[in-house]
Amino acid sequence: MTKYFDGSIAQLEEKVEAQLSDYRFQHVRRVRDYAVQLAEANGVDPDQAEVAALVHDYAKERSDSDFIAVIKRKKMDPDLLNWGNYIWHGVVGAEMIHDELGITDPDILTAVREHTTGAGATMSKLSQVIFMADYLEVGRDFDGVQVARDITKQSLEQGVKYQIVHTLARLVKKETPIYPKSLETYNYWVRKEN
Ligand code: GDP
Ligand code: FE
Ligand code: FE
Ligand code: FE
């Protein structure tokens, strides 16, 4: 039992597994393992990190029409309609996690909303842990991943800065639109002294 979900972790895993392809469910399990370690190292409740990690991509394989229906029904910011799955699965996905899984912990739901873009000054340690675990889980293999793991082991906050700088650089290079929250995250973490 966990205080963050009405059931066991095994039951939560089953519900997530039912929503995802096998390769993505395996990613979710690796994010869980990495998040629990980062939580223990950074004074975050590992049970809270475990639940947040297990649900972070819960909505990733939902159809665009599912997301659009929720945006309209809940009268969410209409600007969301200008974006796509990569933004919706966190921001709108948090609503589905609340409504379908009964997860109500506001810090978990915020960490899910922020897991793709990060956030600025208000970004909690839990949210930083999920953001970094998603980026660094042992199945990730990109140029610099080991450097990013080493930096994050030294300092969770330096890891957040590393990720946002490198992700934005990659998106700009590909001439991909940048979600405003990602820019807010970048501006906060590049200015921050630590
Ligand atoms: P995943 O769900 O485990 O694949 O990882 P994320 O939720 O962190 O990211 C989903 C995708 O969104 C990745 O390809 C990111 O590079 C991309 N992404 C992150 N921020 C932005 C942004 O501001 N704009 C765009 N277009 N894509 C972004
Ligand atoms: Fe994601
Ligand atoms: Fe991420
Ligand atoms: Fe993920």
Side-chain angles (χ1 to χ4, degrees):
M1 290 299 150
T2 151
K3 67 175 166 172
Y4 301 107
F5 173 68
D6 185 16
S8 65
I9 289 294
Q11 288 168 326
L12 179 58
E13 283 188 65
E14 271 179 40
K15 286 187 183 278
V16 173
E17 186 171 18
Q19 296 283 321
L20 299 177
S21 55
D22 182 60
Y23 94 91
R24 186 160 280 114
F25 181 61
Q26 297 311 326
H27 157 70
V28 163
R29 296 184 68 164
R30 292 189 299 267
V31 173
R32 181 266 306 278
D33 294 345
Y34 216 101
V36 168
Q37 285 186 20
L38 284 177
E40 285 168 347
N42 288 282
V44 169
D45 180 350
D47 295 334
Q48 195 178 25
E50 179 169 40
V51 171
L54 285 173
V55 300
H56 86 281
D57 278 339
Y58 172 81
K60 181 96 176 186
E61 295 180 7
R62 299 291 274 264
S63 67
D64 289 0
S65 60
D66 271 20
F67 288 118
I68 291 164
V70 172
I71 292 165
K72 290 184 173 166
R73 181 160 50 81
K74 299 212 170 196
K75 300 189 167 32
M76 297 178 80
D77 182 351
D79 175 63
L80 281 168
L81 296 170
N82 297 318
W83 301 85
N85 176 284
Y86 55 97
I87 294 300
W88 295 340
H89 80 282
V91 174
V92 186
E95 302 297 318
M96 294 164 166
I97 289 159
H98 176 276
D99 295 352
E100 298 172 20
L101 299 177
I103 287 173
T104 56
D105 183 80
D107 300 328
I108 291 177
L109 297 172
T110 297
V112 172
R113 289 187 189 102
E114 294 176 352
H115 87 266
T116 308
T117 61
T122 60
M123 193 175 185
S124 72
K125 287 265 175 217
L126 174 69
S127 189
Q128 293 173 40
V129 162
I130 300 305
F131 186 62
M132 292 320 301
D134 188 28
Y135 189 59
L136 300 176
E137 58 93 346
V138 301
R140 295 287 197 202
D141 182 20
F142 54 84
D143 280 353
V145 68
Q146 199 48 54
V147 172
R149 288 184 183 122
D150 292 345
I151 289 171
T152 305
K153 193 167 179 181
Q154 292 297 314
S155 161
L156 182 63
E157 298 197 340
Q158 288 296 330
V160 173
K161 175 177 170 179
Y162 182 98
Q163 178 178 173
I164 192 66
V165 166
H166 287 82
T167 297
L168 279 205
R170 182 171 47 78
L171 293 169
V172 168
K173 187 142 198 236
K174 287 194 303 177
E175 301 186 16
T176 307
I178 306 294
Y179 193 62
K181 188 85 174 174
S182 300
L183 293 174
E184 183 187 325
T185 304
Y186 173 83
N187 285 330
Y188 176 76
W189 292 94
V190 292
R191 283 190 188 117
K192 190 169 191 293
E193 308 267 348
N194 54 19

